[in-house]
Coordinates of all heavy atoms in Angstrom, one line a residue:
M1 N -108.8 42.7 -39.6 CA -108.4 41.3 -39.8 C -108.1 40.7 -38.4 O -107.0 40.9 -37.9 CB -107.1 41.3 -40.6 CG -107.3 41.6 -42.1 SD -105.7 41.3 -42.8 CE -106.1 40.8 -44.4
A2 N -109.0 40.0 -37.9 CA -108.8 39.4 -36.6 C -108.9 37.9 -36.8 O -109.9 37.3 -37.3 CB -109.9 39.9 -35.6
L3 N -107.8 37.2 -36.3 CA -107.8 35.8 -36.4 C -108.4 35.3 -35.1 O -108.2 35.9 -34.0 CB -106.3 35.3 -36.5 CG -105.7 35.4 -37.8 CD1 -104.2 34.9 -37.8 CD2 -106.4 34.7 -38.9
E4 N -109.1 34.2 -35.2 CA -109.8 33.6 -34.0 C -109.6 32.1 -34.1 O -109.8 31.5 -35.1 CB -111.3 33.9 -34.0 CG -112.0 33.4 -32.8 CD -113.5 33.7 -32.8 OE1 -113.9 34.5 -33.7 OE2 -114.2 33.2 -32.0
K5 N -109.2 31.5 -32.9 CA -109.1 30.1 -32.8 C -110.1 29.5 -31.9 O -110.3 30.0 -30.8 CB -107.7 29.7 -32.3 CG -107.4 28.3 -32.1 CD -106.0 28.1 -31.7 CE -105.7 26.8 -31.0 NZ -104.4 26.6 -30.5
T6 N -110.9 28.6 -32.4 CA -112.0 28.0 -31.6 C -111.8 26.5 -31.5 O -111.5 25.8 -32.5 CB -113.4 28.2 -32.3 OG1 -113.5 29.6 -32.5 CG2 -114.5 27.7 -31.4
I7 N -111.9 26.0 -30.3 CA -111.8 24.5 -30.0 C -113.1 24.0 -29.5 O -113.7 24.6 -28.5 CB -110.7 24.2 -29.0 CG1 -109.3 24.8 -29.6 CG2 -110.6 22.7 -28.7 CD1 -108.2 24.7 -28.7
V8 N -113.7 23.0 -30.2 CA -115.0 22.5 -29.8 C -115.0 21.0 -30.0 O -114.4 20.4 -30.9 CB -116.1 23.1 -30.6 CG1 -115.9 22.9 -32.1 CG2 -117.5 22.7 -30.2
D9 N -115.7 20.3 -29.0 CA -115.9 18.8 -29.1 C -117.1 18.7 -30.1 O -118.2 19.0 -29.7 CB -116.3 18.2 -27.8 CG -115.1 18.2 -26.8 OD1 -113.9 18.2 -27.3 OD2 -115.3 18.3 -25.6
D10 N -116.8 18.4 -31.3 CA -117.9 18.4 -32.4 C -118.5 17.0 -32.6 O -119.5 16.9 -33.3 CB -117.4 19.0 -33.7 CG -116.4 18.1 -34.4 OD1 -115.7 17.3 -33.8 OD2 -116.3 18.3 -35.6
K11 N -117.9 15.9 -32.0 CA -118.6 14.6 -32.2 C -118.2 13.8 -31.0 O -117.1 13.7 -30.6 CB -118.0 13.9 -33.4 CG -118.7 12.6 -33.7 CD -118.0 11.9 -34.9 CE -119.0 12.0 -36.1 NZ -118.5 11.2 -37.3
I12 N -119.3 13.2 -30.3 CA -119.1 12.4 -29.2 C -120.0 11.1 -29.4 O -121.2 11.2 -29.7 CB -119.6 13.1 -27.9 CG1 -118.9 14.4 -27.7 CG2 -119.4 12.1 -26.7 CD1 -119.5 15.3 -26.6
E13 N -119.3 10.0 -29.4 CA -120.0 8.7 -29.7 C -119.8 7.8 -28.5 O -118.7 7.7 -27.9 CB -119.4 8.0 -30.9 CG -119.5 8.8 -32.2 CD -118.8 8.2 -33.3 OE1 -117.6 7.9 -33.2 OE2 -119.4 8.1 -34.4
V14 N -120.8 7.0 -28.2 CA -120.7 6.0 -27.1 C -120.6 4.6 -27.9 O -121.5 4.3 -28.7 CB -122.0 6.0 -26.2 CG1 -121.9 4.9 -25.2 CG2 -122.1 7.3 -25.6
V15 N -119.5 3.9 -27.7 CA -119.3 2.7 -28.4 C -118.9 1.5 -27.4 O -118.4 1.8 -26.3 CB -118.2 2.8 -29.5 CG1 -118.7 3.8 -30.5 CG2 -116.9 3.3 -28.9
T16 N -119.0 0.3 -27.9 CA -118.7 -0.9 -27.2 C -119.6 -1.2 -26.0 O -120.3 -0.3 -25.6 CB -117.2 -1.0 -26.7 OG1 -117.1 -0.3 -25.4 CG2 -116.2 -0.5 -27.7
D17 N -119.6 -2.4 -25.5 CA -120.4 -2.9 -24.4 C -120.0 -2.1 -23.1 O -120.7 -2.0 -22.2 CB -120.2 -4.4 -24.2 CG -120.8 -5.2 -25.3 OD1 -121.7 -4.7 -26.0 OD2 -120.5 -6.4 -25.4
Y18 N -118.7 -1.6 -23.1 CA -118.2 -0.9 -21.9 C -118.4 0.6 -22.0 O -117.8 1.3 -21.2 CB -116.7 -1.3 -21.8 CG -116.5 -2.8 -21.7 CD1 -115.9 -3.4 -22.8 CD2 -116.9 -3.5 -20.7 CE1 -115.7 -4.8 -22.8 CE2 -116.8 -4.9 -20.6 CZ -116.2 -5.5 -21.7 OH -116.0 -6.9 -21.7
K19 N -119.2 1.1 -23.0 CA -119.6 2.5 -23.1 C -118.4 3.4 -23.2 O -118.3 4.5 -22.6 CB -120.5 2.9 -21.9 CG -121.7 2.0 -21.7 CD -122.6 1.9 -22.9 CE -123.8 1.0 -22.5 NZ -124.4 0.4 -23.7
H20 N -117.4 3.1 -24.0 CA -116.3 4.0 -24.3 C -116.8 5.2 -25.0 O -117.8 5.1 -25.8 CB -115.2 3.3 -25.2 CG -114.5 2.2 -24.5 ND1 -114.4 1.0 -25.1 CD2 -113.8 2.2 -23.4 CE1 -113.7 0.2 -24.3 NE2 -113.4 0.9 -23.2
L21 N -116.3 6.4 -24.6 CA -116.6 7.6 -25.3 C -115.6 8.0 -26.3 O -114.4 8.2 -25.9 CB -116.8 8.7 -24.2 CG -117.8 8.5 -23.1 CD1 -117.9 9.7 -22.2 CD2 -119.2 8.3 -23.7
Q22 N -115.9 8.1 -27.5 CA -115.0 8.5 -28.6 C -115.3 10.0 -28.8 O -116.5 10.4 -29.1 CB -115.2 7.8 -29.9 CG -114.8 6.4 -29.8 CD -114.9 5.7 -31.2 OE1 -114.1 4.7 -31.4 NE2 -115.7 6.1 -32.1
V23 N -114.3 10.8 -28.6 CA -114.5 12.3 -28.7 C -113.6 12.8 -29.8 O -112.4 12.6 -29.8 CB -114.1 13.0 -27.4 CG1 -114.4 14.5 -27.4 CG2 -114.9 12.4 -26.2
R24 N -114.3 13.6 -30.7 CA -113.5 14.3 -31.8 C -113.6 15.8 -31.4 O -114.6 16.3 -31.3 CB -114.1 14.0 -33.2 CG -113.3 14.7 -34.2 CD -113.8 14.4 -35.6 NE -115.0 15.2 -35.9 CZ -115.6 15.3 -37.1 NH1 -115.2 14.5 -38.1 NH2 -116.6 16.1 -37.3
T25 N -112.4 16.4 -31.4 CA -112.3 17.8 -31.1 C -111.8 18.5 -32.3 O -110.8 18.1 -32.9 CB -111.3 18.0 -29.9 OG1 -111.7 17.3 -28.8 CG2 -111.2 19.5 -29.6
A26 N -112.5 19.6 -32.7 CA -112.2 20.3 -33.9 C -111.5 21.6 -33.4 O -112.0 22.3 -32.5 CB -113.4 20.7 -34.7
T27 N -110.4 22.0 -34.1 CA -109.7 23.3 -33.9 C -110.0 24.1 -35.2 O -109.6 23.7 -36.2 CB -108.2 23.1 -33.6 OG1 -108.1 22.3 -32.5 CG2 -107.6 24.5 -33.4
I28 N -110.7 25.2 -35.0 CA -111.1 26.0 -36.2 C -110.4 27.3 -36.1 O -110.5 28.0 -35.1 CB -112.6 26.2 -36.2 CG1 -113.3 24.8 -36.1 CG2 -113.1 27.0 -37.4 CD1 -114.8 24.9 -35.6
V29 N -109.7 27.7 -37.2 CA -109.1 29.0 -37.3 C -109.9 29.8 -38.3 O -110.2 29.4 -39.4 CB -107.6 28.9 -37.7 CG1 -107.0 30.3 -37.9 CG2 -106.8 28.1 -36.7
S30 N -110.4 31.0 -37.8 CA -111.2 31.9 -38.7 C -110.6 33.3 -38.7 O -109.9 33.7 -37.8 CB -112.6 32.0 -38.1 OG -113.2 30.7 -37.9
E31 N -110.9 34.0 -39.8 CA -110.5 35.4 -40.0 C -111.7 36.2 -40.3 O -112.3 35.9 -41.4 CB -109.4 35.5 -41.0 CG -108.9 36.9 -41.2 CD -107.8 37.1 -42.3 OE1 -107.7 36.2 -43.1 OE2 -107.1 38.0 -42.2
D32 N -112.1 37.1 -39.5 CA -113.3 37.9 -39.7 C -114.5 37.1 -40.0 O -115.3 37.4 -40.9 CB -113.0 38.9 -40.8 CG -111.9 39.9 -40.5 OD1 -111.8 40.2 -39.3 OD2 -111.2 40.3 -41.4
G33 N -114.7 36.0 -39.3 CA -115.8 35.1 -39.5 C -115.7 34.1 -40.6 O -116.7 33.3 -40.8
T34 N -114.7 34.1 -41.4 CA -114.5 33.2 -42.5 C -113.5 32.1 -42.0 O -112.4 32.4 -41.6 CB -114.0 33.8 -43.7 OG1 -114.9 34.9 -44.1 CG2 -113.8 32.9 -44.9
E35 N -114.0 30.8 -42.1 CA -113.1 29.7 -41.7 C -111.9 29.5 -42.6 O -112.1 29.4 -43.8 CB -113.9 28.4 -41.6 CG -113.2 27.2 -41.1 CD -114.0 26.0 -40.9 OE1 -115.1 26.1 -40.4 OE2 -113.6 24.9 -41.4
L36 N -110.7 29.5 -42.0 CA -109.5 29.3 -42.8 C -109.0 27.9 -42.8 O -108.5 27.4 -43.8 CB -108.4 30.3 -42.3 CG -108.7 31.8 -42.4 CD1 -107.5 32.5 -41.8 CD2 -108.9 32.2 -43.8
S37 N -109.2 27.3 -41.6 CA -108.7 25.9 -41.5 C -109.5 25.2 -40.4 O -110.0 25.9 -39.5 CB -107.2 25.8 -41.3 OG -106.9 26.2 -40.0
R38 N -109.5 23.9 -40.4 CA -110.1 23.0 -39.4 C -109.3 21.8 -39.3 O -108.9 21.2 -40.3 CB -111.5 22.7 -39.8 CG -112.3 21.8 -38.8 CD -113.7 21.5 -39.3 NE -114.5 22.7 -39.4 CZ -115.6 22.9 -38.6 NH1 -116.0 22.0 -37.8 NH2 -116.2 24.1 -38.8
S39 N -108.9 21.4 -38.1 CA -108.2 20.2 -37.9 C -108.8 19.4 -36.7 O -109.6 20.0 -35.9 CB -106.7 20.5 -37.5 OG -106.6 21.3 -36.4
F40 N -108.5 18.1 -36.6 CA -109.2 17.3 -35.7 C -108.2 16.5 -34.8 O -107.1 16.2 -35.2 CB -110.1 16.3 -36.4 CG -111.2 16.9 -37.3 CD1 -111.0 17.0 -38.6 CD2 -112.3 17.4 -36.7 CE1 -112.0 17.5 -39.4 CE2 -113.3 18.0 -37.5 CZ -113.1 18.1 -38.8
H41 N -108.7 16.3 -33.6 CA -108.0 15.4 -32.7 C -109.0 14.4 -32.1 O -110.1 14.9 -31.8 CB -107.3 16.3 -31.6 CG -106.7 15.4 -30.5 ND1 -105.5 14.8 -30.6 CD2 -107.2 15.2 -29.2 CE1 -105.3 14.2 -29.5 NE2 -106.3 14.4 -28.6
R42 N -108.6 13.2 -31.9 CA -109.5 12.2 -31.4 C -109.0 11.6 -30.1 O -107.7 11.5 -30.0 CB -109.8 11.1 -32.4 CG -110.6 11.6 -33.6 CD -110.8 10.4 -34.5 NE -111.5 10.8 -35.7 CZ -112.8 10.9 -35.9 NH1 -113.6 10.6 -34.9 NH2 -113.3 11.3 -37.0
K43 N -109.9 11.2 -29.2 CA -109.5 10.5 -28.0 C -110.6 9.6 -27.6 O -111.7 9.8 -28.0 CB -109.1 11.4 -26.9 CG -110.3 12.3 -26.4 CD -109.8 13.3 -25.3 CE -110.9 14.3 -25.0 NZ -110.4 15.3 -24.1
V44 N -110.2 8.5 -26.8 CA -111.2 7.6 -26.3 C -111.1 7.6 -24.8 O -110.0 7.6 -24.2 CB -110.9 6.2 -26.8 CG1 -111.8 5.2 -26.2 CG2 -111.0 6.1 -28.3
L45 N -112.3 7.7 -24.2 CA -112.4 7.8 -22.7 C -113.0 6.5 -22.2 O -114.0 6.0 -22.8 CB -113.2 8.9 -22.2 CG -112.7 10.3 -22.7 CD1 -113.7 11.4 -22.3 CD2 -111.3 10.6 -22.1
T46 N -112.4 5.8 -21.3 CA -112.9 4.5 -20.7 C -113.5 4.7 -19.4 O -113.2 5.7 -18.7 CB -111.8 3.5 -20.7 OG1 -110.7 4.0 -19.9 CG2 -111.2 3.2 -22.1
P47 N -114.3 3.8 -18.9 CA -115.1 4.0 -17.6 C -114.2 4.1 -16.4 O -114.7 4.5 -15.4 CB -115.9 2.7 -17.6 CG -116.1 2.2 -18.9 CD -114.8 2.6 -19.6
D48 N -112.9 3.8 -16.5 CA -112.0 3.9 -15.3 C -111.3 5.2 -15.3 O -110.4 5.5 -14.5 CB -111.0 2.7 -15.3 CG -110.2 2.6 -16.5 OD1 -110.5 3.2 -17.6 OD2 -109.1 1.9 -16.5
M49 N -111.5 6.1 -16.3 CA -110.8 7.4 -16.4 C -111.5 8.5 -15.6 O -112.7 8.5 -15.4 CB -110.7 7.8 -17.9 CG -109.9 6.8 -18.7 SD -109.8 7.2 -20.4 CE -108.4 8.4 -20.4
D50 N -110.7 9.4 -15.2 CA -111.2 10.7 -14.5 C -111.5 11.7 -15.6 O -110.7 12.1 -16.4 CB -110.1 11.2 -13.6 CG -110.4 12.5 -12.9 OD1 -111.7 12.9 -12.9 OD2 -109.5 13.2 -12.4
V51 N -112.8 12.0 -15.7 CA -113.3 13.0 -16.7 C -113.5 14.4 -16.1 O -114.2 15.2 -16.7 CB -114.5 12.5 -17.4 CG1 -114.1 11.2 -18.3 CG2 -115.6 12.2 -16.5
S52 N -113.0 14.6 -14.9 CA -113.3 15.9 -14.2 C -112.8 17.1 -15.0 O -113.3 18.2 -14.9 CB -112.8 15.9 -12.8 OG -111.4 15.8 -12.8
G53 N -111.8 16.9 -15.8 CA -111.2 18.0 -16.6 C -111.9 18.2 -18.0 O -111.5 19.0 -18.8
E54 N -112.9 17.3 -18.3 CA -113.6 17.4 -19.6 C -114.7 18.4 -19.5 O -115.1 18.9 -18.5 CB -114.1 16.0 -20.0 CG -113.0 14.9 -20.1 CD -112.1 15.2 -21.2 OE1 -112.4 15.8 -22.2 OE2 -110.9 14.7 -21.1
S55 N -115.3 18.6 -20.7 CA -116.5 19.6 -20.7 C -117.7 19.0 -20.0 O -117.8 17.8 -19.7 CB -116.9 19.8 -22.2 OG -117.5 18.6 -22.7
A56 N -118.6 19.9 -19.6 CA -119.8 19.5 -18.9 C -120.6 18.5 -19.7 O -121.2 17.6 -19.1 CB -120.6 20.8 -18.6
E57 N -120.6 18.6 -21.0 CA -121.3 17.7 -21.8 C -120.7 16.3 -21.7 O -121.5 15.3 -21.6 CB -121.3 18.2 -23.3 CG -122.1 17.3 -24.2 CD -122.2 17.8 -25.6 OE1 -121.3 18.6 -26.0 OE2 -123.1 17.4 -26.4
I58 N -119.4 16.2 -21.8 CA -118.8 14.9 -21.7 C -119.0 14.3 -20.3 O -119.3 13.1 -20.2 CB -117.3 15.0 -22.1 CG1 -117.2 15.2 -23.6 CG2 -116.6 13.7 -21.7 CD1 -115.8 15.5 -24.1
R59 N -118.8 15.1 -19.3 CA -119.1 14.6 -17.9 C -120.5 14.1 -17.7 O -120.7 13.1 -17.1 CB -118.8 15.7 -16.9 CG -117.3 16.1 -16.8 CD -117.0 17.0 -15.6 NE -117.9 18.1 -15.4 CZ -117.7 19.3 -15.9 NH1 -116.7 19.6 -16.6 NH2 -118.6 20.2 -15.6
G60 N -121.4 14.8 -18.3 CA -122.8 14.4 -18.2 C -123.1 13.1 -18.9 O -123.8 12.2 -18.4
I61 N -122.5 12.9 -20.1 CA -122.7 11.6 -20.8 C -122.0 10.5 -20.0 O -122.6 9.4 -19.9 CB -122.1 11.7 -22.2 CG1 -122.9 12.7 -23.1 CG2 -122.1 10.4 -22.9 CD1 -122.3 13.1 -24.4
A62 N -120.8 10.7 -19.5 CA -120.1 9.7 -18.8 C -120.9 9.3 -17.5 O -121.1 8.1 -17.2 CB -118.7 10.2 -18.4
A63 N -121.5 10.3 -16.8 CA -122.3 10.0 -15.6 C -123.5 9.2 -16.0 O -123.9 8.3 -15.2 CB -122.7 11.3 -15.0
A64 N -124.1 9.4 -17.2 CA -125.3 8.7 -17.6 C -125.0 7.3 -18.0 O -125.8 6.4 -17.7 CB -126.0 9.5 -18.7
V65 N -123.9 7.1 -18.7 CA -123.7 5.7 -19.3 C -122.7 4.9 -18.5 O -122.8 3.6 -18.6 CB -123.2 5.8 -20.8 CG1 -124.3 6.5 -21.6 CG2 -121.9 6.5 -20.9
W66 N -121.9 5.5 -17.7 CA -120.9 4.7 -16.9 C -121.5 4.3 -15.6 O -121.2 4.8 -14.5 CB -119.6 5.4 -16.7 CG -118.8 5.6 -17.9 CD1 -119.0 5.0 -19.1 CD2 -117.7 6.4 -18.1 NE1 -118.1 5.4 -20.0 CE2 -117.2 6.3 -19.4 CE3 -117.0 7.3 -17.2 CZ2 -116.1 6.9 -19.9 CZ3 -115.8 7.9 -17.7 CH2 -115.4 7.8 -19.1
T67 N -122.5 3.4 -15.6 CA -123.1 2.9 -14.4 C -122.2 2.0 -13.6 O -121.1 1.6 -14.2 CB -124.4 2.0 -14.8 OG1 -123.9 0.9 -15.5 CG2 -125.4 2.8 -15.6
D68 N -122.5 1.7 -12.4 CA -121.7 0.8 -11.6 C -121.5 -0.6 -12.3 O -120.4 -1.2 -12.3 CB -122.3 0.6 -10.2 CG -122.1 1.8 -9.4 OD1 -121.3 2.7 -9.7 OD2 -122.9 1.9 -8.4
D69 N -122.5 -1.1 -13.0 CA -122.4 -2.3 -13.7 C -121.4 -2.2 -14.9 O -120.6 -3.2 -15.1 CB -123.8 -2.8 -14.3 CG -124.8 -3.3 -13.2 OD1 -124.3 -3.6 -12.1 OD2 -126.0 -3.3 -13.4
V70 N -121.5 -1.1 -15.6 CA -120.5 -0.9 -16.7 C -119.1 -0.8 -16.2 O -118.2 -1.5 -16.7 CB -120.9 0.3 -17.5 CG1 -119.8 0.7 -18.5 CG2 -122.2 0.1 -18.3
K71 N -118.9 -0.1 -15.1 CA -117.6 0.1 -14.5 C -117.0 -1.3 -14.0 O -115.9 -1.6 -14.2 CB -117.6 1.1 -13.4 CG -117.8 2.5 -13.8 CD -117.8 3.5 -12.6 CE -118.1 4.9 -13.1 NZ -118.1 5.8 -11.9
S72 N -117.9 -2.1 -13.4 CA -117.5 -3.4 -12.9 C -117.1 -4.3 -14.0 O -116.1 -5.0 -14.0 CB -118.6 -4.0 -12.1 OG -118.3 -5.3 -11.6
A73 N -117.9 -4.3 -15.1 CA -117.7 -5.2 -16.3 C -116.4 -4.7 -16.9 O -115.6 -5.6 -17.3 CB -118.8 -5.1 -17.3
W74 N -116.1 -3.4 -17.0 CA -114.8 -3.0 -17.6 C -113.6 -3.4 -16.7 O -112.6 -3.8 -17.3 CB -114.9 -1.5 -17.8 CG -113.6 -0.9 -18.2 CD1 -112.8 0.0 -17.6 CD2 -112.9 -1.1 -19.5 NE1 -111.7 0.3 -18.3 CE2 -111.7 -0.4 -19.5 CE3 -113.3 -1.9 -20.6 CZ2 -110.9 -0.4 -20.6 CZ3 -112.4 -1.9 -21.7 CH2 -111.2 -1.2 -21.7
Q75 N -113.8 -3.3 -15.4 CA -112.7 -3.7 -14.5 C -112.4 -5.2 -14.7 O -111.3 -5.6 -14.7 CB -113.1 -3.4 -13.1 CG -112.1 -3.8 -12.0 CD -110.8 -3.0 -12.2 OE1 -110.7 -1.8 -12.6 NE2 -109.6 -3.6 -11.9
T76 N -113.5 -6.0 -14.7 CA -113.3 -7.5 -14.9 C -112.6 -7.8 -16.2 O -111.7 -8.6 -16.3 CB -114.7 -8.2 -14.8 OG1 -115.3 -7.9 -13.6 CG2 -114.6 -9.6 -15.0
F77 N -113.1 -7.1 -17.3 CA -112.4 -7.3 -18.6 C -110.9 -6.9 -18.5 O -110.1 -7.7 -19.0 CB -113.1 -6.4 -19.6 CG -112.5 -6.4 -21.0 CD1 -112.6 -7.5 -21.8 CD2 -111.6 -5.4 -21.4 CE1 -112.0 -7.5 -23.1 CE2 -111.0 -5.4 -22.6 CZ -111.2 -6.5 -23.5
Q78 N -110.6 -5.8 -17.9 CA -109.2 -5.4 -17.8 C -108.4 -6.4 -17.0 O -107.3 -6.8 -17.4 CB -109.1 -4.0 -17.1 CG -109.6 -2.9 -17.9 CD -108.7 -2.6 -19.0 OE1 -108.8 -3.1 -20.1 NE2 -107.8 -1.7 -18.8
E79 N -108.9 -6.9 -15.9 CA -108.2 -7.9 -15.1 C -108.0 -9.2 -15.9 O -107.0 -9.9 -15.8 CB -109.0 -8.2 -13.9 CG -109.0 -7.1 -12.9 CD -110.0 -7.2 -11.7 OE1 -110.7 -8.3 -11.7 OE2 -110.0 -6.3 -10.9
N80 N -109.0 -9.6 -16.8 CA -108.8 -10.8 -17.6 C -107.8 -10.7 -18.7 O -107.4 -11.7 -19.3 CB -110.2 -11.3 -18.1 CG -111.1 -11.8 -17.0 OD1 -110.6 -12.2 -16.0 ND2 -112.4 -11.7 -17.2
Q81 N -107.5 -9.4 -19.1 CA -106.5 -9.2 -20.1 C -105.1 -9.2 -19.7 O -104.2 -9.3 -20.4 CB -106.8 -7.8 -20.8 CG -108.1 -7.7 -21.5 CD -108.3 -8.8 -22.5 OE1 -107.5 -8.9 -23.4 NE2 -109.4 -9.6 -22.4
Q82 N -104.9 -9.2 -18.4 CA -103.6 -9.2 -17.8 C -103.0 -10.6 -18.0 O -103.6 -11.6 -17.7 CB -103.6 -8.9 -16.3 CG -104.4 -7.6 -16.0 CD -103.5 -6.4 -15.9 OE1 -102.3 -6.6 -15.5 NE2 -104.0 -5.3 -16.2
T83 N -101.8 -10.7 -18.4 CA -101.1 -12.0 -18.6 C -100.4 -12.3 -17.3 O -99.7 -11.5 -16.8 CB -100.2 -12.0 -19.8 OG1 -99.2 -10.9 -19.7 CG2 -100.9 -11.9 -21.1
P84 N -100.5 -13.6 -16.8 CA -99.7 -13.9 -15.6 C -98.2 -13.9 -15.9 O -97.7 -14.2 -16.9 CB -100.2 -15.3 -15.3 CG -100.9 -15.8 -16.5 CD -101.2 -14.6 -17.4
A85 N -97.5 -13.5 -14.8 CA -96.0 -13.4 -14.9 C -95.4 -14.7 -14.8 O -95.8 -15.7 -14.2 CB -95.5 -12.4 -13.9

């Protein structure tokens, strides 16, 4: 009877004009190869975020879709959302 906990990014979606990455991470608990439970955690990564601590797959997707144009457009959008004091 060996319990095993596995964590995997099981769904990665690219959404919005600013190429946000929606990542769903599954935590799977198994006993002797039989899944006992599965839970999920979600996060959204934006083009201004540091993804160096993410998986190689996420870093690769971010490098492919977060072009300089996308990063610039996201920065402009963020600046336009700031309300003047």
Side-chain angles (χ1 to χ4, degrees):
M1 288 185 150
L3 287 178
E4 181 179 352
K5 177 176 159 181
T6 307
I7 299 173
V8 61
D9 295 330
D10 71 335
K11 184 182 253 187
I12 303 169
E13 299 172 309
V14 179
V15 297
T16 80
D17 292 337
Y18 306 108
K19 310 300 185 206
H20 292 126
L21 300 181
Q22 289 186 156
V23 181
R24 183 177 80 176
T25 302
T27 302
I28 305 160
V29 177
S30 303
E31 181 178 24
D32 297 328
T34 302
E35 184 175 314
L36 299 176
S37 71
R38 180 181 295 243
S39 61
F40 300 103
H41 172 77
R42 293 179 184 271
K43 63 184 170 187
V44 176
L45 304 172
T46 59
D48 58 343
M49 296 177 85
D50 176 16
V51 293
S52 61
E54 301 294 336
S55 69
E57 184 177 22
I58 291 174
R59 289 191 316 266
I61 294 169
V65 299
W66 290 351
T67 63
D68 289 339
D69 288 343
V70 169
K71 289 178 182 180
S72 177
W74 175 244
Q75 180 65 33
T76 301
F77 174 78
Q78 290 289 88
E79 290 168 359
N80 290 336
Q81 296 304 304
Q82 308 268 331
T83 56

